[in-house]
Every structure is written in C-alpha cells, then in structure tokens.
C-alpha cells in the first residue's frame, strides 16, 4: 500500500496496517522509528553522563544512578539503536538492490521487528520499576550476578527477547540474498551494501547464539538458583566473559560492516565512478567477517589467560587492520579523479574516512597486549570505540538515511539542513572523544562516577562535555530536518541522486510490490549500465504477469507480546512464586501463536495483471 | 503458486522432491539450514560451558560424573533416538514418493520412539534429583549438566509437539506442495537433535564415565 492511500485511511487503519505489515519497506520504517526513539533515549543518558563529568567532584547524579546511566547508555545504543537502525537500512535497501519483490520470509521479518521492539521496551521498563541494570553493558559476573534488585534481570530478559529478533532477521536476509536475486544479479554483481548485509547476517547467525547461551546462564544464576558464575559453588565467571565476547566482538563488525557497504555505494554514486577494486572490497569484507570470530579475547587481555593466548589474540587482532586498510584505500581511490558531488550523504562519508581510521589506530594500539594492561578500562578504550562506532556507524546511519530517505518516504531531506546538522555533530564528535584518548593515557578509569579536582583531568572533561552538547545540537537539527521535510511533503522522482543500482530504477517510494516486472541485470551497477548503454531503463526479465504477495499478519505481534509478558513473570517469580503463572501464561501465548501459525494456511494473494496495468499501488 | 499448492499429491505423480518444488519451499529449506547453523553455535556454547564445569573443582556437592552416570540406560536411550532418526528417514523417503499414508505411519513410529526417549530421560533426571543429590542448584557441575542435557531434552519435546501438530493438521488432506516443506524441515530438525545427542552421549556420559 503506498503512503498516499495509507494517509487516506484513518489513524486506526494505518496503525493496524503497521501492526500487521509484512512489507519490508514498512518494517524498515518501523525499525527506523523505534531505533530512532531508542537513539534519543540513549543520547539523553549520554548527556546526563557528560553533565555529571563536566566538572570534578560533581553531584549531579548519584553514584547508583550513574551506574544505571552508563549501563543503559551502552546497552541501548548497541542493541536498541545501532542494530535496528542498521536493520532499517538493510530492510529498505537490500530487496530493492537485488531486484526482489520482498524478503524471503516476510512473516519472520515482522516477527523479528516485534521481538526486538518488545525486548527493548522491557529493558526500559526497568527505569520505572525500581532501577535499571547497573553492571555495565558487558554485565560481567559476579558484579551482574550479585547486583541487587531486578535491574540486571531486565537486562537479561530484554536482551534475550530482542536478540531472538535479531537472529531471525539475520537468517531472513541470508535466504533473501541467496534465493531472491533477480535474473543476472550474480554474487559478484551485487552492490557492496548487499554484500555487507550478507556477511553481517552470517556474523549475526554465528555470534548471537553465544549471547543467547550467556544470557540463559545468567538468567539461571540470578533467577533459578544455578551456579554457573559462582566460584563458591564451583562456578567460573570467566565463562561469561568468553561467551559475551565471542558474541561481542563479532557484534561490533555486525554494526560496522553494513556501513562499510553503504559508504562504498555512496562514494561510487557521488564520484560517478565504478567502485575501485570491487572484488578486493568484497574479499576484504569476507575476510574481516571471518577474522572477526578469532579475536574476542583481546577484550580479556587482563583476565589472565596467559602470554600465549594473549599473543595469539593480539596478532589476530592486528591482522584485521589489513583488510580494513584495503577498504580505506579503495574508497580513496574511488574518489580519486571522480567528479565528486558533496551532497549530505557524501559529506558524512568523507568525514567518516579519517574519523574511523583514527579509531582503527586506537584499536591497533589496544591490540598490543602488553600495552593494553595500561589502557584497559581507561578512557582510552572509551575513545577508541566511540571513534569506530560513532565515526563509523552513526555517521553511516546519517549518511544512509539522507541517501535512502526517498525510498523510505518519497521525499528528500533538505540538503541545507542536512549540512547544517553535520558540522556541529562532526566537530562535537571530535571534541568529545579525541581528548578522551589523553584522559585515558593519564589514567582516568572508565565507568567512574566522579573524578577529583587538580589531577589535570578537569579541562579535558569539560571539553568533552562541550563537544557532547554540540553533537546534541547536530542531532536536534537533523530532527528538525525530518519534521520540516515531512510537513512539506514534496515528492521526488525515483532517481534523485542519479544512482547506479536497482533501487533507483523504481519510483520513490516504491509500490508495495517493488518491481512491476523483475529487472534483467546486465552487470555491476545495473542501472548505470542502462544509462550508458541502453535507454536508461531496466529491461524486464519477464512479461507482465500476476504478482504473488504475502498476507499481513497480527501473529508476530502477539507472539512477541507473549514473551514480553513471560519476561515479567520470570523476573518477579524470584520474589513471589505466583509470578510463575504469568511466566507460563506468556509462554503459552507465544507457543499458542506459533501453533496457530503452523496450522493456519497462509498462501498470500495475487495482484492481477490487469490491475497492474491500471497502475495499482503505484503513485 | 497459490491455491494449487494445496492440491493433494498422490503416489506416482511428480514432483519427486515436493519439499523444494516451490520458491517458498526452497526458502524454508535454506533458511532452516541456516537456523541449524545457529543452533550448532548454541549447543557448542553449552558444551564449552559443560566442559569448563565438569571437573572436580566444580563438583562441590554430590557425586561426580564417574559415580553418577550409568551407561546402560543412556545406551538404550541412544539406540532409541538413533532409531527414531532412521524411521524419520523412512518417512521422508515415502514423502518423496508422495505416499502420505506410509509417511504418517513412519512419523508416528518416530514420535513413539521420541516419547520413549523423553520418558527415560525424565526418569533419569528423577533418579538423580531424588536419590543422588545431583540437582540444578547443588553445584556448578549440576547446573552445567542440566543446562546442556535439559536444553537437548527441551528440543526433543519441541520437536515432538511440532511433528504431531503437522501430522494431525494434515491427516485429512494429505500431502501437498504447501505442507511438504514443513514435514521436511521438521525431519531435518529431528536429525539435528539426534546428532547433538550423539555428542552428549560421547562428551557427557562416555567421557564422564571413563575420564573420571
Ligand atoms: C583495526 C580494528 C580494531 C582493533 C585492532 C580493535 C581492537 C580493540 C581492542 C584490543 C579492544 C579492547 C580494549 C580493552 O578493553 O582494553 C577494543 C575494544 C572495543 N572495540 Fe575495537 N578494535 C578495532 C575495531 C573496532 C570496530 C570497527 C568497532 C566497532 C564498530 C570496535 C568496537 C569496540 C568496542 C565497543 C570496544 C569496547 C568494549 C568494551 O569494553 O566496552 N572496535 N578494540
Ligand atoms: Cu573486539
């Protein structure tokens, strides 16, 4: 259903439409809105942290609240902001880039979203029920297993539910990319964004189950009397560290790889050049994904695994810098001699290259195991990962949103406001985090509630806080841009950027079946080929015919709601066993909806050829 | 691609691989293999945890693996579960020949064997808890044991519910292109559970008995 007809429907009908949708473009919007809201929540937490650290010996927030703030900031940003925003981009772009009408499993796509959403909501309910989790986003045992109250229980249940959603999403993209490509779209003709979405999905598939198990063990320890992490009962808390980082390191690449792909597409579009070293770029992504599984213990250099383990993991970690370097150079070479257009997406991209590279330098320094004894758990680490995550992922999400906004909403974000948002954010970012390297080298530990005056830490922290405010200003200007653009509602063409890939060959926003006729792909950058050698339009690979579409369904929502309810049951049965009833009831709702899904036939429906000719669903 | 998917398939008709005859079927097939890849990491993590916590230092109360485990019962359970994998192969063989009745029969036998396995496992746990002071909360070894073996048992239970659901749901209408992939991936799941059990038998029981 196009947005135009959706607007004609009442609010209730639109809401119902979104609650039951299985259309990847609408699910992308859901991910965008939910992820955006969590991003604002996480940003607010960050501002409170920076206010507390603006001056020495500050009492703006209490120590306990501070712990909750840093925990929720990290957890929210990684799991509830960065992940869904990336899923928003993958959902809007991957099916369009490969010439598909939808993803392989539209139903599961919706289920993945609702699981993520309810998991995120559950986690945040903790703010109102006696305190959020406070053991850090890494939730190391025994700090997490002995943390009083229910905060960490919310962490466990919330992440478990949303993690299941992510896993489902990953499988969905894998099958979509393998099975749903249009004729002629071979693997080595796929846009880099699709390639990176593919590798990221592989990482999701093999990394998230380790977190699942870790969270189960922690749930058993905290809520059901098990002893996995309790040394007095024979347990071993290093197991948590391993499981967490076997997931956690791949996770950082899960976040950044799609962004790499996105930047590759953007650079090639706005340099009007084919990507330099396409196959090397693909190879580098695959290699990074592979190596990403071999380096988790660089987070545990100080745990005491011994010099042999530390050396091996140090070398493996440094090795990742090689394929990453390949990518950096290829981006630069793509721009070299191109006719560059400094649009907003390109601006974020060009800013990304040096920013991310600095983060990588910090990473390689940290990878020197012996030196890491000095850096570990200081602000140097905080600086490193914000350079890669903000300088990479957040810049990338901004770039991607500007780039694909037409495909999301059929409108175009204002270039003027876009650039106006960029500068304070960019400057603020470097102001906030560059100096944190030095604070770390001077010995300021991370996660401390306050620091003392006159230890040479005052100025650095103040600068950092000022930078954070500049970033907030940038984010607000972006929001204004969104509002202004939506209010104006000026429609744009299907191809406002003079694009190279398939998503630009169809209207903005695309009709709900995407392609009236599946396109025939004749090479890398298929639309560009047609612009150069053909008539500028994709040649159809099939005659006009009926299109098969999946039915909407409310079941994913109910299934996820069941787990949400069960989550409360499991959390509170610690205090009162009667809550187990709630837990079981929730599980029954979920299992019941799975049962309904299994026994009820869902064959979808057809859009008839005659209706297509009349232009059904297109603008 | 839609309602003709519901047409009943009879022996002797084509296609020979009804589970992969439609795009939906192909997607399910591939997606389920990916899912099993993820499940492999899940069980690998549980095995890793178990191997870290099955030593004497984690066994702070109750008997250790060598005293605790008896191989007779577990051996019988292993034979039963392996046989059930074989019977599910027969079921799929008949599915490929589009012989719905025989498929149901062999699936029924598979379910019966699976139920027996589950019953024996519950009996085993009951003995440990009631007579051996080996519980989920007694020590880290207990936690790790029940987590690993119990996760597997939970998978068996889920698999049984799934197969029975499919059998009952389709008992009247027989095999078609819509439900063939469903039967097929349920059988894949069943094999996977079986393979995991072979590892449990080796790592937990055999190595526990011999290594201790
Ligand atoms: C050349 C590439 C990289 C290298 C060599 C590297 C190395 C490291 C090392 C050794 C640590 C552990 C520091 C410590 O705790 O003492 C670390 C932490 C971290 N890195 Fe990287 N890294 C690289 C790229 C990335 C990327 C691309 C991301 C994310 C997109 C990332 C995210 C993180 C995060 C989140 C942490 C901190 C986790 C925590 O303790 O809370 N890194 N990195
Ligand atoms: Cu890492």
């Amino acid at each position: 259903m196009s947005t135009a007809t959706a607007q004609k429907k009442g609010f209730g009908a639109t809401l119902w439409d979104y609650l039951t949708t299985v259309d990847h473009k609408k699910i992308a919007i859901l991910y965008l809105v939910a992820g955006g809201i969590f991003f604002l929540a996480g940003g607010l937490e960050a501002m409170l942290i920076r206010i507390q650290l603006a001056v020495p010996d500050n009492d703006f927030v209490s120590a306990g609240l501070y712990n909750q703030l840093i925990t929720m900031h990290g957890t929210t940003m990684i799991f509830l902001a960065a992940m869904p925003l990336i899923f928003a981009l993958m959902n809007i772009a991957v099916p369009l880039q490969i010439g598909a009408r939808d993803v392989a499993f539209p139903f599961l796509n919706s289920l993945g979203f609702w699981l993520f959403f309810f998991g995120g909501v559950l986690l945040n309910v903790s703010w109102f029920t006696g305190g959020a989790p406070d053991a850090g986003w890494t939730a190391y045992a025994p700090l997490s297993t002995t943390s009083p109250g229910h905060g960490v229980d919310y962490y466990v249940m919330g992440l478990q539910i949303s993690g299941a959603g992510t896993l489902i999403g990953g499988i969905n993209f894998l099958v979509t990319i393998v099975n749903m490509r249009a004729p002629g779209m071979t693997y080595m003709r796929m846009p880099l964004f699709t390639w990176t979405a593919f590798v990221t999905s592989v990482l999701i598939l093999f990394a998230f189950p380790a977190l699942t198990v870790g969270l189960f063990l922690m749930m058993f320890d905290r809520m059901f009397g098990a002893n996995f992490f309790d040394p007095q009962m024979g347990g071993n808390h290093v197991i948590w560290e391993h499981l967490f980082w076997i997931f956690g390191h791949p996770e950082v690449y899960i976040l950044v790889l799609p962004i790499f792909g996105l930047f590759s597409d953007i650079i090639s579009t706005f340099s009007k050049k084919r990507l330099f070293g396409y196959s090397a770029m693909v190879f580098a992504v695959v290699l990074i994904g592979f190596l990403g599984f071999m380096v988790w213990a660089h987070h545990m250099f100080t745990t005491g695994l011994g010099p042999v383990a530390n050396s091996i993991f140090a070398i493996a970690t440094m090795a990742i810098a090689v394929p990453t370097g390949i990518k950096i150079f290829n981006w630069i070479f793509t721009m070299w001699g191109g006719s560059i257009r400094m649009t907003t997406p390109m601006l974020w991209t060009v800013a990304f290259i040096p920013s991310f590279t600095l983060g990588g330098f910090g990473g390689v320094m940290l990878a020197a195991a012996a030196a890491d004894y000095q850096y570990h758990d200081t602000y140097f680490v905080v600086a490193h990962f914000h350079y890669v995550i903000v300088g990479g992922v957040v810049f990338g999400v901004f770039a991607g949103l500007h780039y694909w906004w037409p495909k999301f909403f059929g409108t175009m974000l204002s270039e003027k406001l876009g650039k106006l948002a960029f500068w304070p954010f960019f400057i603020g970012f470097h102001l906030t985090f560059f100096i944190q390297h030095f604070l770390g080298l001077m010995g300021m530990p991370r996660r401390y509630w306050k620091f003392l005056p006159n230890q040479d830490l005052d100025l650095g922290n103040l600068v950092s806080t000022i930078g954070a405010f500049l970033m907030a200003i940038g984010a607000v200007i972006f929001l204004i841009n969104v509002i202004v653009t939506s209010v104006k509602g000026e429609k744009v063409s299907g191809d406002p950027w003079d694009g190279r890939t398939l998503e630009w060959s169809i209207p903005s926003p695309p009709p709900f079946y995407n392609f009236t006729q599946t396109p025939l792909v004749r090479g890398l950058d298929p639309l560009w080929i047609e612009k150069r050698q053909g008539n500028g339009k994709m040649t159809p690979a099939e005659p006009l015919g009926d299109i098969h579409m999946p039915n909407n369904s409310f079941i994913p929502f109910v299934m996820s709601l069941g787990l949400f309810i069960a989550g409360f049951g499991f959390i509170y049965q610690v205090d009162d066993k009667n809550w187990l009833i709630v837990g079981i009831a929730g599980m029954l709702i979920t299992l019941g909806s799975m049962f309904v899904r299994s026994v009820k036939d869902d064959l979808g429906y057809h859009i008839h050829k005659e209706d297509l000719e009349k232009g059904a669903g297109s603008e | 691609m839609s309602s003709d998917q519901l047409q009943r398939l009879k022996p002797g008709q084509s296609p020979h691989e009804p589970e992969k005859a439609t795009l939906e079927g192909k997607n399910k097939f591939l997606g389920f293999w990916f899912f099993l890849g993820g499940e492999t990491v899940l069980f690998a993590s549980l095995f890793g945890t178990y191997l870290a916590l099955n030593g004497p230092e984690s066994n702070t109360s109750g008997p250790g693996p060598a005293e605790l485990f008896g191989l007779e019962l577990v051996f019988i359970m292993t034979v039963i579960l392996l046989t059930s994998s074989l019977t599910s192969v027969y079921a799929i063989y008949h599915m490929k020949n589009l012989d719905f009745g025989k498929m149901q029969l062999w699936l029924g036998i598979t379910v019966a064997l699976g139920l027996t396995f589950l019953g024996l496992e519950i009996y085993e746990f009951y003995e440990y808890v009631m007579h051996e002071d080996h519980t989920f909360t007694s020590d880290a070894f207990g936690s790790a044991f029940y987590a690993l073996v119990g996760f597997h048992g939970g998978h068996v239970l889920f698999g049984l519910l799934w197969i029975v659901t499919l059998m009952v749901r389709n008992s009247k209408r027989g095999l078609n292109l819509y439900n063939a992939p469903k039967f097929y991936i349920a059988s894949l799941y069943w094999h996977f559970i079986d393979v995991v059990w072979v590892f449990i038998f080796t790592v937990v029981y055999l190595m526990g008995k011999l290594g201790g």
Side-chain angles (χ1 to χ4, degrees), chain B residues 121-186:
Chain B
E121 182 154 86
I122 291 169
Y123 166 74
E124 184 202 355
F125 284 4
Y126 177 82
E127 285 294 309
Y128 290 158
V129 172
M130 289 318 204
H131 305 302
E132 304 277 4
D133 183 28
H134 173 58
T135 71
F136 190 51
T137 54
S138 56
D139 56 11
F141 167 59
S143 304
F145 172 83
Y146 286 104
L148 173 58
V149 184
F151 247 87
H152 176 266
H155 274 70
V156 173
L157 177 64
F158 187 83
L160 289 174
L161 292 175
W162 185 7
I163 296 178
V164 170
T165 306
L166 286 179
M167 288 173 66
V168 174
R169 167 68 182 91
N170 296 297
S171 59
K172 290 228 175 64
R173 65 174 174 180
L175 199 63
N176 55 41
L177 289 181
Y178 181 70
N179 61 25
K182 295 189 177 206
F183 281 110
Y184 190 81
I185 60 170

Side-chain angles (χ1 to χ4, degrees), chain A residues 78 137-138 140 245 248-249 251-253 255-256 260 298-302 317-318 320-322 324 356 359-368 372-373 375-378 381-382 384-386 388-389 392-393 446-447:
Chain A
I78 298 263
W137 84 281
T138 50
Y140 273 22
W245 288 119
H249 186 81
E251 166 70 9
V252 305
Y253 285 103
L255 294 174
V256 88
F260 282 179
H298 65 214
H299 297 275
M300 300 165 64
F301 283 147
T302 59
T317 302
M318 293 175 190
I320 295 198
V322 176
T324 314
F356 185 85
F361 287 164
V364 177
M365 287 174 72
L366 289 165
D372 185 62
Y373 274 74
Y375 309 138
H376 183 61
D377 268 352
T378 70
V381 177
V382 176
H384 156 63
F385 67 71
H386 282 91
V388 281
I389 295 182
V393 182
R446 68 191 281 201
R447 290 178 173 155

Side-chain angles (χ1 to χ4, degrees), chain A residues 289-372:
Chain A
F290 178 74
L291 288 175
F293 278 102
M294 318 272 165
V295 299
W296 79 88
H298 65 214
H299 297 275
M300 300 165 64
F301 283 147
T302 59
T303 301
L305 301 178
V308 177
N310 276 5
S311 310
I312 292 172
F313 278 100
I315 291 168
T317 302
M318 293 175 190
I320 295 198
V322 176
T324 314
I326 294 180
K327 300 193 75 71
I328 303 268
F329 282 115
N330 281 351
W331 286 319
I332 296 174
F333 292 151
T334 307
M335 285 190 274
W336 189 280
S339 62
I340 295 177
R341 282 175 290 161
M342 267 300 163
T343 57
T344 310
M346 190 63 175
L347 198 56
W348 285 108
T349 307
V350 171
F352 147 84
I353 294 178
S355 308
F356 185 85
T357 306
L358 277 173
F361 287 164
V364 177
M365 287 174 72
L366 289 165
D372 185 62

